[in-house]
Amino acid sequence: MGKPPELAPEILEYYLGGGEDTRLRSGRGRLELWRTQDVLRRLLPPPPARVLDVGGGTGVHAEWLAADGYAVDLVDPVPAHVERASGLPGVTAALGDARALDAADATADAVLLLGPLYHLPDRADRVRALAEARRAVRPGGVVAAATISRWAAVHDLVRKGAYADEAVRRVADDVAGDGLLRSHPGSGFTTAYFHHPDETLGEFADAGLPGARRYALEGVFAWYEALDTWLDDPERRTALLNAARRAEGDPTLLGATGHMITAALAPRETLTS
């Protein structure tokens, strides 16, 4: 693939720390993973369709997609991520930039962006990444992108107690105002962009992907103190996941979720980039 983008040093440092590889595999992060699987398994064409996993990191999602029978091509800007993902069965991995994919036109059955929009603070770059996904997917194929919700930092830091710190509170309040997270040690994350739920529809439309639908992943359940108790018990977990599915499209709850997936089918008529 082509030359990867130059990542801001604090973003590269965060991902080289390895936390994202384990975040979704244990503890509270499992809710996001299981809900992502639930939504995508309903949206994706059946295997052995080809999935382009853009910004796929170490392959947390590519791994289960390949196990489901999909042919997965992963692209990521972090060399250490690509090296690790390359070792997964059924997954090919290469360096690349979501805004300038090397993939040929209409060669993927689905394109996933389950991370790139987090770190593209400029709207033009986010639309460009979505337009690249639309170009690479076949007509009628699925484009799905994950976003972090505008108020997620406030909710998470209140739950953890860190919001009591004035400096941390100021950072979280700024994010809730304009969506831009300025890297701060107390935030638990790195420089990023957090979406208002209505923004993604316009970004998809401007990228040539009209008719997008939104799916809240964790809903309000991520903020519950007893979440691990529910996730550890199979019966409770099933009830929780069913409730999250029923609530996933409720417009009154979209802004309360930590993460959201927006998805659309690529138009069947020919579009020029």
Side-chain angles (χ1 to χ4, degrees):
M1 292 253 173
K3 181 181 178 181
E6 294 291 333
L7 293 177
E10 71 274 13
I11 296 177
L12 181 60
E13 180 181 4
Y14 174 81
Y15 283 107
L16 290 180
E20 280 298 297
D21 184 63
T22 58
R23 184 180 66 84
L24 297 180
R25 302 180 191 270
S26 62
R28 306 175 71 87
R30 293 172 294 172
L31 178 59
E32 181 188 340
L33 173 63
W34 290 335
R35 284 287 298 134
T36 299
Q37 292 173 333
D38 177 34
V39 170
L40 292 182
R41 282 173 172 150
R42 284 180 276 141
L43 295 177
L44 294 176
R50 180 163 296 281
V51 175
L52 181 58
D53 185 9
V54 182
T58 59
V60 172
H61 295 295
E63 184 174 18
W64 66 262
L65 286 164
D68 278 2
Y70 290 98
V72 184
D73 297 319
L74 181 146
V75 178
D76 197 84
V78 180
H81 287 176
V82 171
E83 181 179 1
R84 180 155 184 172
S86 295
L88 296 173
V91 177
T92 65
L95 289 170
D97 185 337
R99 297 164 295 180
L101 297 172
D102 273 358
D105 294 357
T107 52
D109 297 299
V111 180
L112 308 179
L113 299 97
L114 302 180
L117 302 192
Y118 299 173
H119 301 300
L120 296 174
D122 292 334
R123 186 182 189 277
D125 280 338
R126 297 194 298 273
V127 171
R128 182 179 172 191
L130 290 167
E132 273 291 270
R134 188 264 297 162
R135 179 189 62 77
V137 79
R138 64 170 176 77
V142 176
V143 174
T147 52
I148 304 173
S149 297
R150 183 65 57 89
W151 282 85
V154 171
H155 291 157
D156 187 49
L157 293 171
V158 167
R159 183 187 64 80
K160 293 176 178 176
Y163 191 73
D165 182 288
E166 183 179 354
V168 173
R169 182 166 63 251
R170 186 164 53 248
V171 170
D173 289 347
D174 286 347
V175 177
D178 63 15
L180 182 61
L181 173 64
R182 287 83 173 172
S183 184
H184 185 282
S187 72
F189 199 34
T190 184
T191 302
Y193 186 76
F194 289 30
H195 277 73
H196 185 284
D198 291 343
E199 284 183 283
T200 57
L201 299 180
E203 291 173 2
F204 266 66
D206 287 352
L209 293 163
R213 293 186 60 185
R214 299 167 295 179
Y215 303 81
L217 292 181
E218 310 98 320
V220 298
F221 305 108
W223 315 127
Y224 292 2
E225 186 60 32
L227 179 60
D228 277 337
T229 300
W230 283 81
L231 296 179
D232 290 339
D233 180 276
E235 185 174 348
R236 288 188 176 195
R237 178 171 65 243
T238 298
L240 182 67
L241 292 174
N242 286 340
R245 179 189 282 201
R246 291 196 302 273
E248 67 186 6
D250 187 330
T252 67
L253 296 176
L254 285 176
T257 191
H259 298 81
M260 185 174 72
I261 283 180
T262 303
L265 299 181
R268 293 190 177 276
E269 64 270 21
T270 302
L271 294 175
T272 57
S273 300

Short mmCIF file of all heavy atoms in Angstrom, two decimals, residues 89-131:
data_model
loop_
_atom_site.label_atom_id
_atom_site.label_comp_id
_atom_site.label_asym_id
_atom_site.label_seq_id
_atom_site.Cartn_x
_atom_site.Cartn_y
_atom_site.Cartn_z
N PRO A 89 -4.89 -15.47 10.92
CA PRO A 89 -5.36 -16.32 9.82
C PRO A 89 -6.46 -15.64 9.01
O PRO A 89 -7.38 -15.06 9.59
CB PRO A 89 -5.90 -17.56 10.54
CG PRO A 89 -5.25 -17.57 11.88
CD PRO A 89 -5.05 -16.13 12.24
N GLY A 90 -6.34 -15.68 7.71
CA GLY A 90 -7.36 -15.13 6.83
C GLY A 90 -7.34 -13.63 6.68
O GLY A 90 -8.25 -13.04 6.09
N VAL A 91 -6.29 -12.96 7.21
CA VAL A 91 -6.20 -11.51 7.17
C VAL A 91 -4.93 -11.08 6.46
O VAL A 91 -3.85 -11.59 6.76
CB VAL A 91 -6.20 -10.90 8.60
CG1 VAL A 91 -6.02 -9.39 8.55
CG2 VAL A 91 -7.48 -11.27 9.34
N THR A 92 -5.05 -10.17 5.51
CA THR A 92 -3.87 -9.51 4.95
C THR A 92 -3.83 -8.10 5.51
O THR A 92 -4.87 -7.50 5.76
CB THR A 92 -3.92 -9.44 3.41
OG1 THR A 92 -5.02 -8.61 3.01
CG2 THR A 92 -4.08 -10.83 2.81
N ALA A 93 -2.64 -7.58 5.74
CA ALA A 93 -2.52 -6.27 6.37
C ALA A 93 -1.42 -5.46 5.70
O ALA A 93 -0.38 -6.02 5.30
CB ALA A 93 -2.22 -6.42 7.87
N ALA A 94 -1.65 -4.17 5.58
CA ALA A 94 -0.67 -3.29 4.94
C ALA A 94 -0.82 -1.88 5.49
O ALA A 94 -1.88 -1.49 5.99
CB ALA A 94 -0.88 -3.27 3.42
N LEU A 95 0.26 -1.12 5.39
CA LEU A 95 0.22 0.28 5.78
C LEU A 95 -0.63 1.08 4.79
O LEU A 95 -0.64 0.79 3.59
CB LEU A 95 1.63 0.86 5.81
CG LEU A 95 2.55 0.39 6.94
CD1 LEU A 95 3.97 0.87 6.69
CD2 LEU A 95 2.05 0.92 8.28
N GLY A 96 -1.32 2.08 5.29
CA GLY A 96 -2.11 2.91 4.40
C GLY A 96 -2.82 4.03 5.12
O GLY A 96 -2.85 4.08 6.36
N ASP A 97 -3.40 4.91 4.34
CA ASP A 97 -4.07 6.12 4.82
C ASP A 97 -5.53 6.04 4.40
O ASP A 97 -5.84 5.84 3.22
CB ASP A 97 -3.39 7.34 4.19
CG ASP A 97 -3.92 8.67 4.70
OD1 ASP A 97 -5.07 8.71 5.19
OD2 ASP A 97 -3.20 9.67 4.58
N ALA A 98 -6.45 6.21 5.35
CA ALA A 98 -7.88 6.15 5.05
C ALA A 98 -8.30 7.16 4.00
O ALA A 98 -9.28 6.95 3.28
CB ALA A 98 -8.69 6.37 6.33
N ARG A 99 -7.54 8.25 3.87
CA ARG A 99 -7.91 9.31 2.93
C ARG A 99 -7.38 9.08 1.53
O ARG A 99 -7.72 9.81 0.59
CB ARG A 99 -7.40 10.65 3.46
CG ARG A 99 -8.01 11.08 4.77
CD ARG A 99 -7.21 12.17 5.43
NE ARG A 99 -5.87 11.68 5.81
CZ ARG A 99 -4.95 12.42 6.40
NH1 ARG A 99 -5.20 13.69 6.68
NH2 ARG A 99 -3.77 11.90 6.71
N ALA A 100 -6.53 8.06 1.36
CA ALA A 100 -5.93 7.79 0.04
C ALA A 100 -5.64 6.30 -0.05
O ALA A 100 -4.49 5.86 0.00
CB ALA A 100 -4.65 8.60 -0.14
N LEU A 101 -6.69 5.51 -0.18
CA LEU A 101 -6.54 4.06 -0.22
C LEU A 101 -5.94 3.59 -1.54
O LEU A 101 -6.23 4.16 -2.59
CB LEU A 101 -7.91 3.39 -0.02
CG LEU A 101 -8.62 3.64 1.31
CD1 LEU A 101 -10.04 3.07 1.26
CD2 LEU A 101 -7.83 3.05 2.46
N ASP A 102 -5.12 2.55 -1.47
CA ASP A 102 -4.57 1.96 -2.68
C ASP A 102 -5.54 0.98 -3.33
O ASP A 102 -5.30 0.51 -4.43
CB ASP A 102 -3.26 1.23 -2.36
CG ASP A 102 -2.06 2.15 -2.42
OD1 ASP A 102 -2.25 3.34 -2.74
OD2 ASP A 102 -0.94 1.70 -2.13
N ALA A 103 -6.62 0.64 -2.66
CA ALA A 103 -7.59 -0.32 -3.19
C ALA A 103 -8.16 0.19 -4.51
O ALA A 103 -8.46 1.38 -4.67
CB ALA A 103 -8.71 -0.54 -2.19
N ALA A 104 -8.33 -0.72 -5.45
CA ALA A 104 -8.93 -0.37 -6.73
C ALA A 104 -10.41 -0.09 -6.56
O ALA A 104 -11.04 -0.48 -5.57
CB ALA A 104 -8.72 -1.51 -7.73
N ASP A 105 -10.98 0.60 -7.53
CA ASP A 105 -12.40 0.94 -7.47
C ASP A 105 -13.27 -0.32 -7.40
O ASP A 105 -13.02 -1.32 -8.10
CB ASP A 105 -12.81 1.73 -8.73
CG ASP A 105 -12.16 3.09 -8.81
OD1 ASP A 105 -11.42 3.46 -7.86
OD2 ASP A 105 -12.40 3.80 -9.81
N ALA A 106 -14.30 -0.26 -6.57
CA ALA A 106 -15.37 -1.26 -6.52
C ALA A 106 -14.84 -2.68 -6.35
O ALA A 106 -15.33 -3.61 -6.97
CB ALA A 106 -16.24 -1.16 -7.77
N THR A 107 -13.85 -2.85 -5.49
CA THR A 107 -13.25 -4.19 -5.30
C THR A 107 -13.61 -4.83 -3.97
O THR A 107 -13.35 -6.02 -3.79
CB THR A 107 -11.72 -4.11 -5.42
OG1 THR A 107 -11.23 -3.09 -4.56
CG2 THR A 107 -11.31 -3.82 -6.85
N ALA A 108 -14.20 -4.10 -3.05
CA ALA A 108 -14.58 -4.66 -1.76
C ALA A 108 -16.10 -4.79 -1.68
O ALA A 108 -16.84 -4.00 -2.27
CB ALA A 108 -14.08 -3.77 -0.61
N ASP A 109 -16.56 -5.79 -0.96
CA ASP A 109 -18.00 -5.94 -0.73
C ASP A 109 -18.47 -5.07 0.43
O ASP A 109 -19.65 -4.74 0.52
CB ASP A 109 -18.33 -7.40 -0.45
CG ASP A 109 -18.02 -8.30 -1.64
OD1 ASP A 109 -18.61 -8.08 -2.71
OD2 ASP A 109 -17.16 -9.20 -1.50
N ALA A 110 -17.54 -4.73 1.31
CA ALA A 110 -17.83 -3.84 2.43
C ALA A 110 -16.55 -3.14 2.84
O ALA A 110 -15.47 -3.72 2.77
CB ALA A 110 -18.41 -4.62 3.61
N VAL A 111 -16.68 -1.89 3.26
CA VAL A 111 -15.55 -1.13 3.78
C VAL A 111 -15.91 -0.64 5.17
O VAL A 111 -16.96 0.00 5.36
CB VAL A 111 -15.18 0.06 2.88
CG1 VAL A 111 -13.99 0.82 3.49
CG2 VAL A 111 -14.84 -0.40 1.47
N LEU A 112 -15.06 -0.96 6.12
CA LEU A 112 -15.27 -0.56 7.51
C LEU A 112 -14.24 0.50 7.90
O LEU A 112 -13.06 0.36 7.60
CB LEU A 112 -15.13 -1.77 8.45
CG LEU A 112 -15.96 -3.00 8.10
CD1 LEU A 112 -15.68 -4.11 9.10
CD2 LEU A 112 -17.45 -2.66 8.09
N LEU A 113 -14.71 1.52 8.59
CA LEU A 113 -13.82 2.53 9.17
C LEU A 113 -14.17 2.60 10.66
O LEU A 113 -14.93 3.45 11.09
CB LEU A 113 -14.01 3.90 8.51
CG LEU A 113 -13.72 3.98 7.01
CD1 LEU A 113 -15.02 3.86 6.21
CD2 LEU A 113 -13.01 5.27 6.65
N LEU A 114 -13.62 1.66 11.42
CA LEU A 114 -13.98 1.55 12.83
C LEU A 114 -12.96 2.25 13.72
O LEU A 114 -12.71 1.81 14.83
CB LEU A 114 -14.12 0.06 13.20
CG LEU A 114 -15.15 -0.71 12.38
CD1 LEU A 114 -15.22 -2.16 12.84
CD2 LEU A 114 -16.52 -0.06 12.48
N GLY A 115 -12.41 3.34 13.22
CA GLY A 115 -11.42 4.09 13.98
C GLY A 115 -10.89 5.33 13.30
O GLY A 115 -10.57 6.32 13.98
N PRO A 116 -10.76 5.35 11.97
CA PRO A 116 -10.14 6.51 11.32
C PRO A 116 -10.81 7.84 11.60
O PRO A 116 -10.13 8.87 11.75
CB PRO A 116 -10.23 6.15 9.83
CG PRO A 116 -10.19 4.66 9.80
CD PRO A 116 -10.98 4.24 11.01
N LEU A 117 -12.13 7.87 11.70
CA LEU A 117 -12.80 9.16 11.90
C LEU A 117 -12.52 9.74 13.28
O LEU A 117 -12.71 10.94 13.50
CB LEU A 117 -14.32 9.02 11.69
CG LEU A 117 -14.77 8.51 10.32
CD1 LEU A 117 -16.28 8.71 10.16
CD2 LEU A 117 -14.03 9.19 9.17
N TYR A 118 -12.05 8.90 14.21
CA TYR A 118 -11.69 9.41 15.54
C TYR A 118 -10.58 10.45 15.46
O TYR A 118 -10.50 11.35 16.30
CB TYR A 118 -11.18 8.29 16.44
CG TYR A 118 -12.10 7.15 16.75
CD1 TYR A 118 -11.63 6.04 17.45
CD2 TYR A 118 -13.44 7.13 16.36
CE1 TYR A 118 -12.45 4.97 17.77
CE2 TYR A 118 -14.26 6.06 16.66
CZ TYR A 118 -13.76 4.98 17.37
OH TYR A 118 -14.57 3.91 17.67
N HIS A 119 -9.66 10.26 14.51
CA HIS A 119 -8.44 11.05 14.50
C HIS A 119 -8.32 11.95 13.27
O HIS A 119 -7.22 12.30 12.85
CB HIS A 119 -7.23 10.13 14.61
CG HIS A 119 -7.26 9.30 15.87
ND1 HIS A 119 -7.26 9.85 17.13
CD2 HIS A 119 -7.31 7.96 16.05
CE1 HIS A 119 -7.32 8.88 18.03
NE2 HIS A 119 -7.35 7.73 17.40
N LEU A 120 -9.46 12.32 12.70
CA LEU A 120 -9.49 13.28 11.60
C LEU A 120 -10.32 14.47 12.04
O LEU A 120 -11.53 14.54 11.80
CB LEU A 120 -10.08 12.62 10.34
CG LEU A 120 -9.28 11.47 9.75
CD1 LEU A 120 -10.04 10.81 8.59
CD2 LEU A 120 -7.90 11.94 9.27
N PRO A 121 -9.71 15.44 12.71
CA PRO A 121 -10.47 16.56 13.26
C PRO A 121 -11.08 17.48 12.21
O PRO A 121 -12.07 18.16 12.48
CB PRO A 121 -9.44 17.32 14.12
CG PRO A 121 -8.11 16.91 13.56
CD PRO A 121 -8.28 15.50 13.09
N ASP A 122 -10.50 17.50 11.01
CA ASP A 122 -11.04 18.34 9.94
C ASP A 122 -12.15 17.60 9.19
O ASP A 122 -11.95 16.48 8.71
CB ASP A 122 -9.94 18.73 8.96
CG ASP A 122 -8.91 19.65 9.58
OD1 ASP A 122 -9.27 20.38 10.53
OD2 ASP A 122 -7.75 19.64 9.13
N ARG A 123 -13.30 18.25 9.08
CA ARG A 123 -14.43 17.61 8.41
C ARG A 123 -14.07 17.20 6.98
O ARG A 123 -14.50 16.14 6.51
CB ARG A 123 -15.63 18.56 8.40
CG ARG A 123 -16.91 17.92 7.86
CD ARG A 123 -18.06 18.93 7.84
NE ARG A 123 -19.32 18.28 7.53
CZ ARG A 123 -19.75 17.99 6.31
NH1 ARG A 123 -19.00 18.32 5.25
NH2 ARG A 123 -20.92 17.40 6.11
N ALA A 124 -13.32 18.01 6.28
CA ALA A 124 -12.96 17.69 4.90
C ALA A 124 -12.21 16.37 4.83
O ALA A 124 -12.39 15.58 3.89
CB ALA A 124 -12.10 18.80 4.30
N ASP A 125 -11.35 16.09 5.82
CA ASP A 125 -10.62 14.82 5.83
C ASP A 125 -11.56 13.65 6.12
O ASP A 125 -11.39 12.55 5.56
CB ASP A 125 -9.51 14.86 6.87
CG ASP A 125 -8.27 15.59 6.40
OD1 ASP A 125 -8.09 15.71 5.17
OD2 ASP A 125 -7.48 16.04 7.25
N ARG A 126 -12.53 13.86 6.99
CA ARG A 126 -13.48 12.78 7.29
C ARG A 126 -14.32 12.45 6.06
O ARG A 126 -14.55 11.28 5.73
CB ARG A 126 -14.37 13.16 8.48
CG ARG A 126 -13.60 13.37 9.77
CD ARG A 126 -14.51 13.41 10.98
NE ARG A 126 -15.47 14.50 10.98
CZ ARG A 126 -15.24 15.71 11.45
NH1 ARG A 126 -14.05 16.02 11.95
NH2 ARG A 126 -16.19 16.64 11.45
N VAL A 127 -14.78 13.48 5.36
CA VAL A 127 -15.55 13.25 4.14
C VAL A 127 -14.68 12.58 3.08
O VAL A 127 -15.14 11.68 2.36
CB VAL A 127 -16.13 14.58 3.62
CG1 VAL A 127 -16.75 14.40 2.24
CG2 VAL A 127 -17.16 15.13 4.59
N ARG A 128 -13.42 12.98 3.00
CA ARG A 128 -12.50 12.36 2.04
C ARG A 128 -12.32 10.88 2.33
O ARG A 128 -12.31 10.05 1.41
CB ARG A 128 -11.16 13.09 2.09
CG ARG A 128 -10.13 12.59 1.10
CD ARG A 128 -8.85 13.39 1.22
NE ARG A 128 -7.76 12.84 0.42
CZ ARG A 128 -6.51 13.23 0.51
NH1 ARG A 128 -6.17 14.20 1.36
NH2 ARG A 128 -5.57 12.70 -0.24
N ALA A 129 -12.17 10.52 3.61
CA ALA A 129 -12.03 9.11 3.97
C ALA A 129 -13.28 8.32 3.61
O ALA A 129 -13.20 7.19 3.10
CB ALA A 129 -11.72 8.98 5.46
N LEU A 130 -14.45 8.89 3.87
CA LEU A 130 -15.69 8.21 3.52
C LEU A 130 -15.85 8.09 2.01
O LEU A 130 -16.35 7.07 1.49
CB LEU A 130 -16.88 8.96 4.13
CG LEU A 130 -17.01 8.88 5.65
CD1 LEU A 130 -18.02 9.91 6.15
CD2 LEU A 130 -17.41 7.48 6.08
N ALA A 131 -15.43 9.12 1.27
CA ALA A 131 -15.50 9.06 -0.19
C ALA A 131 -14.56 7.99 -0.74
O ALA A 131 -14.89 7.31 -1.73
CB ALA A 131 -15.15 10.43 -0.78
#
